[in-house]
């Protein structure tokens, strides 16, 4: 526990809203995008002489490729959003501010949602960004007055596999226990409490550990929750954001779209930062940047230069999914090493894709053909109908209109009422006529049967 | 353990800090808070002497800036109640507050008046209004919870009972809110009563913040009692005078309100024990009643030595008219004795220059009294020699005038001189 703890060091803030807020002043400074790139990037060591090692060693070395992290434009965007959302969330929750003390404050928190095709590295990049912040900050003194409390900057949870609220609460309790050494799990997680009480406890805990950002991963699991479960969970997140002012970041595959576009659509209006979608990479500068970054990690005996043809092949085979791209390149190297070819060719990549990526092949094929019907069969890659209409944050963003106003323009003229005349039953085969002319002692069933409208069992 | 500890406000009582902790914590009941704060399942929420504070400090967040002794001195009533205790007894109570393993029952009965126990937590409406504006929430003030305080020393208005009963909420810390601090009927005291209650409240506030006695309290009282002639030079109390004057000074209303009525018939009356060496009265309220009756402020009682000087400060003048140092202040010390009849002090003065010695019945009423004597004890050798010398050239009445005495004294002297002469011959 102790190694996680950072003693608070308060930094002079440039932005006036951030001044005098111990939670914000204790955070690391806001950094420029160049610094973000250098902090996010990860390039493991590489030595040219390793190319001369025996096959078995080189096959292991290829594993290093998976550690490479090349920041892309969208990662910078995400970093900036997280940085903003954490700080903005703290603005209203200043323990030294009397309006916060008297529970009479306006939430400044915003939530946002990160959606992306599986294999785009959503979890990885969020983890890397969060690791730039200390997880626990200990305050003991702020400007000569004692201030004794923990500040947990972020907490990452995974939505439970069945999308249940209880599972989320339990993992929240155990996570807090893990980092702070409390006993919330045994206290609130045992069977004694109902789920509703757990939620109350959870929001209280989040409040008094001064949580900066709650990250919920695998949000698409909500679609598996029991009926009404997803709505309740999403409503709870809205409560966290609006009532206690805790920013929430939801991460999921496009599968979560169905859930989120249900009732959460309204709640989303409350999000100050909009939503972010990690689409598959296009075959453009970003993809080139990625391939360039991994290309240097080559352990074949004969170095292969990167050509446009190779890039195109990689793109075609991976369809711009980062994980697949890296895997393909790694597998191609292993194949080249083990087969003794020692050079990477487009053909080799295709061959590897055919041999080793059989499981994902149908999905990739669907993406390649662009057949919407095909793609739609795989909800975690289908981003077709994502409606990312960014709305400017409303002035009154906490007043969510619940009933839509009638769009009648008030005129001085009276509305012309068109009366629809009732058409008297006339036709023979009108049911109403049949019922009117029914004979004594006959039930409706008999009448309908007599007219041949109800088919008997024997007909079938 | 706690993930945060509320920063105590100025003069906030620890009970209130715990209550604010409970309110912010996710805990549903008091026993969970007891576990957070003290690692125990259940604890009686004591207002005056909270216990297990050593556990509290251990449970605070890492690097917590709170020091246990500072919390005790600044946020409990310990400094007020224990101010008249011996250092050993104070140490025992402190140990009880830290670890709770010592029995303090017989120690605290002497310092808190069980009759005056508060049934409810108390508040001053003006303090609450200020706190709400300044901090955004209310808290229980330490000074308002003292037994026998009726006026807020800051705003000089009556203190009210909240709706939070201490008896009903033994295992729960309840924070001050606008809902439980309501003034239902305004209290107005009689102007005379109000004045006295205000003095008591202000003294309590002073003692709470200056709990350090630099003098010997019993000696201070005794000297002051002697000064006001409630005690003889030897330390005997004039009990009847003391009790009647004390009762008229405070009035029965105040004594009843503070639960300190005096039973005249009983010899175990607390008032008479205050100055008695063997008994210990440690209730600060009783001390305040006595000191104010004796026209002392706590500041003088605690910090300035009260001397019993019925003849003023030395040196005193020699009153021998023939002495070179006549009416010069040369006599350093006075010997004070008790008069057998009137029990008033008698001072014996002896000039070191001429051996002239006189006595004066005290106490002195004015500065001129210093040059007055009641009787001459001894004329001294120089005086006798001078008399002999003057007698050779002057008549007896003249000599008597010169020597500042009567002619009978001179004749007496001559007679005695002749007797000794004859004896010598």
């Amino acid at each position: 526990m102790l190694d996680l703890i950072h003693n608070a060091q308060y930094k002079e803030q440039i932005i006036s809203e951030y001044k005098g807020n111990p939670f914000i002043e204790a955070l690391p400074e806001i950094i420029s995008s160049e610094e973000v790139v250098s902090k996010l990037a990860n390039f493991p060591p590489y030595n040219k002489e390793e190319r001369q090692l025996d096959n078995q060693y080189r096959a292991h070395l290829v594993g290093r490729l998976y550690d490479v992290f090349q920041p892309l434009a969208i990662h910078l965007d995400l970093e900036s959003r997280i940085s903003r959302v954490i700080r903005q969330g703290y603005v209203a929750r200043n323990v030294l501010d009397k309006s916060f003390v008297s529970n009479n404050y306006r939430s400044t928190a915003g939530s946002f949602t990160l959606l992306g095709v599986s294999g785009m590295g959503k979890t990885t990049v969020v983890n890397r960004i969060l690791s730039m912040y200390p997880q626990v900050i200990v305050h003991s003194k702020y400007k000569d007055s004692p201030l004794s409390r923990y500040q947990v900057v972020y907490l990452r949870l995974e939505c439970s596999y069945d999308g249940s609220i209880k599972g989320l609460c339990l993992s929240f309790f155990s996570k807090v226990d893990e980092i702070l050494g409390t006993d919330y799990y045994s206290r609130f997680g045992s069977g004694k409490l109902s789920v509703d009480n757990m939620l109350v406890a959870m929001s209280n805990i989040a409040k008094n550990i001064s949580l900066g950002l709650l990250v919920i991963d695998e949000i698409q699991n909500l679609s598996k929750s029991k009926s009404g479960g997803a709505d309740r969970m999403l409503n709870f997140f809205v409560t966290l954001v609006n009532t206690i002012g805790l920013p929430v970041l939801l991460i999921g595959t496009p599968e979560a779209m169905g859930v989120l576009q249900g009732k959460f659509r309204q709640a989303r209006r409350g999000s100050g930062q909009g939503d972010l979608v990690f689409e598959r990479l296009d075959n453009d500068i970003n993809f080139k940047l990625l391939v360039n970054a991994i290309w240097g990690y080559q352990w074949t005996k004969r170095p292969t230069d990167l050509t446009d043809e190779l890039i195109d092949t990689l793109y075609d085979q991976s369809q711009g999914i980062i994980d697949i791209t890296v895997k393909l390149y790694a597998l191609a190297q292993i194949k080249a090493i083990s087969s003794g070819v020692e050079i990477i060719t487009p053909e080799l990549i295709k061959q590897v894709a055919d041999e080793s990526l059989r499981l994902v092949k149908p999905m990739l094929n669907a993406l390649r053909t662009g057949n919407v019907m095909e793609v739609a069969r795989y909800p975690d890659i289908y981003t077709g109908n994502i409606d990312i209409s960014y709305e400017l944050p409303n002035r009154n963003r906490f007043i969510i209109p619940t009933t839509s106003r009638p769009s009648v323009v008030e005129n001085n003229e009276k509305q012309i009422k068109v009366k629809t005349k009732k058409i008297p039953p006339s036709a023979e085969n009108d049911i109403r006529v049949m019922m009117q002319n029914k004979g004594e002692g006959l039930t409706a069933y008999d009448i309908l049967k007599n007219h041949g409208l109800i088919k008997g069992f024997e007909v079938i | 353990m706690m993930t945060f500890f509320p920063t105590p406000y100025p003069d906030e009582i620890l009970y209130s800090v715990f209550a604010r902790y409970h309110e912010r914590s996710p805990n549903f009941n008091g026993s969970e808070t007891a576990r957070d704060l003290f690692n125990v399942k259940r604890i009686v929420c004591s207002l005056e002497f909270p216990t297990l504070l050593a556990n509290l400090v251990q449970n605070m967040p890492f690097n917590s800036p709170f020091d246990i002794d500072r919390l005790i001195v600044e946020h409990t009533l310990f400094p007020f109640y224990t101010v008249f205790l011996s250092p050993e007894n104070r140490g025992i109570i402190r140990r009880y507050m830290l670890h709770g393993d010592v029995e303090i029952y017989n120690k605290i009965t002497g310092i808190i008046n069980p009759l005056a126990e508060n049934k409810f937590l108390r508040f001053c409406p003006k303090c609450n209004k200020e706190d709400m504006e300044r901090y955004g929430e209310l808290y229980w003030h330490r000074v308002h919870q003292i037994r026998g305080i009726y006026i807020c020393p800051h705003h000089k208005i009556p203190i009210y009972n909240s709706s939070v009963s201490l008896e009903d909420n033994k295992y729960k810390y309840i924070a001050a809110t606008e809902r439980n601090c309501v003034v239902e009927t305004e209290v107005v005291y009689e102007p005379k009563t109000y004045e006295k209650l205000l003095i008591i409240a202000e003294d309590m506030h002073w003692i709470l913040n200056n709990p350090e006695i630099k003098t010997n309290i019993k000696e201070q009282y005794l000297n002051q009692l002697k000064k006001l002639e409630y005690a003889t030079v030897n330390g005997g109390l004039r009990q009847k005078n003391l009790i009647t004057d004390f009762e008229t000074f405070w009035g029965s209303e105040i004594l009843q309100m503070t639960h300190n009525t005096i039973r005249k018939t009983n010899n175990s009356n607390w008032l008479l024990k205050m100055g008695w060496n063997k008994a210990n009265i440690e209730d600060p309220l009783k001390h305040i009643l006595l000191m104010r009756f004796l026209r002392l402020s706590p500041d003088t009682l605690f910090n300035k030595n009260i001397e019993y000087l019925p003849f003023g400060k030395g040196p005193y003048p020699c009153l021998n008219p023939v002495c070179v140092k006549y009416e010069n202040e040369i006599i350093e010390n006075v010997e004070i004795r008790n008069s057998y009849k009137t029990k008033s002090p008698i001072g014996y003065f002896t000039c070191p220059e001429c051996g002239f010695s006189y006595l004066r019945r005290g106490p002195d009423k004015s500065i001129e009294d210093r040059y007055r004597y009641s009787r001459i004890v001894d004329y001294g050798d120089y005086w006798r020699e001078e008399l002999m010398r003057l007698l050779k050239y002057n008549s007896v009445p003249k000599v008597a005038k010169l020597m500042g005495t009567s002619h009978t004294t001179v004749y007496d002297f001559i007679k005695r001189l002749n007797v000794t002469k004859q004896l010598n011959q």
Side-chain angles (χ1 to χ4, degrees), chain B residues 272-389:
Chain B
L272 300 177
K273 282 184 182 172
M274 299 286 287
W276 186 27
N277 235 346
K278 280 174 194 163
N280 278 326
I281 298 287
E282 285 143 345
D283 179 359
L285 176 55
K286 292 192 168 78
H287 281 264
I288 290 172
L289 292 178
L290 179 65
M291 75 172 83
R292 280 295 167 187
F293 165 66
L294 294 178
R295 292 166 229 163
L296 293 174
S297 71
D299 188 25
T300 13
L301 184 69
F302 287 12
N303 297 325
K304 289 163 195 154
N305 267 317
I306 299 164
E307 289 165 316
Y308 175 56
L309 298 168
F311 302 100
K313 268 194 176 167
Y316 308 94
C318 174
L319 297 182
N320 183 1
V322 292
C323 178
V324 209
K325 303 275 183 188
Y326 178 61
E327 294 201 334
N328 278 2
E329 298 194 324
I330 188 170
I331 303 168
E332 290 291 338
N333 290 314
V334 56
E335 194 191 338
I336 299 167
R337 282 189 212 154
N338 206 0
S339 145
Y340 288 110
K341 267 186 186 167
T342 60
K343 309 278 183 197
S344 52
I346 295 173
Y348 288 81
F349 304 85
T350 309
C351 172
E353 189 71 28
C354 60
F356 182 84
S357 172
Y358 62 95
L359 67 80
R360 180 164 71 245
R361 241 176 261 285
D364 288 2
K365 296 276 191 292
S366 64
I367 196 86
E368 286 81 43
D369 281 356
R370 288 168 80 89
Y371 299 98
R372 174 181 71 79
Y373 56 80
S374 310
R375 192 158 67 79
I376 287 161
V377 183
D378 184 15
Y379 290 100
D381 292 341
Y382 183 75
W383 190 84
R384 280 187 284 267
E385 278 164 27
E386 190 66 15
L387 184 79
M388 296 297 288
R389 197 174 64 79

Side-chain angles (χ1 to χ4, degrees), chain B residues 76-306:
Chain B
T76 71
L77 291 173
F78 175 87
F80 176 75
Y81 283 125
T82 61
V83 69
F84 293 102
L85 280 187
S86 66
E88 298 88 66
N89 284 345
R90 210 175 301 158
I92 288 171
I93 293 182
R94 179 181 171 273
R95 232 177 61 221
Y96 166 79
M97 292 174 82
L98 256 59
H99 310 289
D101 55 355
V102 282
E103 187 51 66
I104 59 157
Y105 183 71
N106 53 0
K107 299 284 180 292
I108 60 168
T109 46
I111 51 176
I112 55 177
N113 187 346
L115 296 171
E117 192 183 350
N118 294 329
K119 301 277 186 295
F120 295 91
L121 281 153
R122 298 158 83 209
F123 70 97
C124 156
K126 276 196 185 169
C127 283
N128 276 6
K129 207 176 157 218
E130 281 181 12
D131 294 341
M132 202 62 192
E133 273 163 23
R134 198 172 305 159
Y135 306 113
E137 64 182 329
L138 302 182
Y139 62 91
W140 303 116
H141 284 244
R142 181 167 64 143
V143 71
H144 300 154
Q145 317 303 332
I146 296 176
R147 295 183 181 197
I149 197 164
Y150 285 90
I151 306 283
C152 171
H154 301 289
H155 299 103
K156 310 193 191 319
I157 60 165
I159 296 174
Y160 293 85
N161 277 343
S162 71
S163 60
V164 181
S165 153
L166 283 166
E167 188 65 33
D168 295 350
N169 300 298
K170 260 188 175 168
Y171 303 105
K172 221 162 141 194
Y173 293 104
I174 298 184
T177 60
E178 282 175 320
R179 254 169 294 120
N180 59 29
C181 294
V182 182
V183 180
E184 275 166 7
T185 42
E186 223 166 281
V187 176
V188 181
Y189 297 111
E190 292 272 313
K192 270 187 187 170
T193 315
Y194 169 81
E195 256 169 53
K196 286 169 189 164
L197 289 174
L198 180 62
I199 289 175
I200 294 175
E202 280 175 340
D203 284 356
M204 282 174 163
H205 183 238
W206 191 91
I207 292 175
L208 182 61
N209 294 301
N210 302 280
E212 218 181 313
I213 300 177
K214 290 178 187 136
T215 56
N216 181 343
I217 288 291
K218 290 208 163 145
E219 232 178 83
Q220 297 275 83
Y221 281 142
L222 201 61
N223 284 342
Q224 188 70 11
L225 282 166
K226 286 178 186 171
K227 242 179 167 172
L228 299 175
E229 299 182 38
Y230 288 110
T232 62
V233 181
N234 291 351
L237 280 179
R238 295 187 168 96
Q239 298 192 4
K240 254 187 197 167
N241 286 352
L242 179 64
I243 291 172
T244 29
D245 288 2
F246 183 84
E247 281 190 320
T248 39
F249 182 83
W250 285 112
S252 60
E253 195 184 353
I254 298 280
L255 295 181
Q256 261 166 25
M257 280 172 94
T258 56
H259 301 273
N260 280 314
T261 44
I262 292 167
R263 280 169 291 174
K264 283 177 210 166
T265 48
N266 199 336
N267 279 337
S268 62
N269 179 341
W270 64 264
L271 183 61
L272 300 177
K273 282 184 182 172
M274 299 286 287
W276 186 27
N277 235 346
K278 280 174 194 163
N280 278 326
I281 298 287
E282 285 143 345
D283 179 359
L285 176 55
K286 292 192 168 78
H287 281 264
I288 290 172
L289 292 178
L290 179 65
M291 75 172 83
R292 280 295 167 187
F293 165 66
L294 294 178
R295 292 166 229 163
L296 293 174
S297 71
D299 188 25
T300 13
L301 184 69
F302 287 12
N303 297 325
K304 289 163 195 154
N305 267 317
I306 299 164

Side-chain angles (χ1 to χ4, degrees), chain B residues 35-81:
Chain B
R35 196 136 42 99
D36 280 357
L37 297 168
F38 308 111
N39 296 338
V40 291
K41 279 190 184 160
R42 212 162 127 117
I43 194 163
V44 175
C45 305
S46 167
L47 187 65
E48 280 147 341
F49 296 102
T51 181
L52 294 178
L53 297 183
N55 293 5
L56 175 79
V57 173
Q58 273 177 6
N59 284 334
M60 280 187 188
F62 191 64
N63 270 350
S64 153
F66 298 107
D67 174 70
I68 188 75
D69 280 307
R70 253 189 77 192
L71 282 181
I72 290 180
V73 171
E74 291 177 12
H75 299 288
T76 71
L77 291 173
F78 175 87
F80 176 75
Y81 283 125

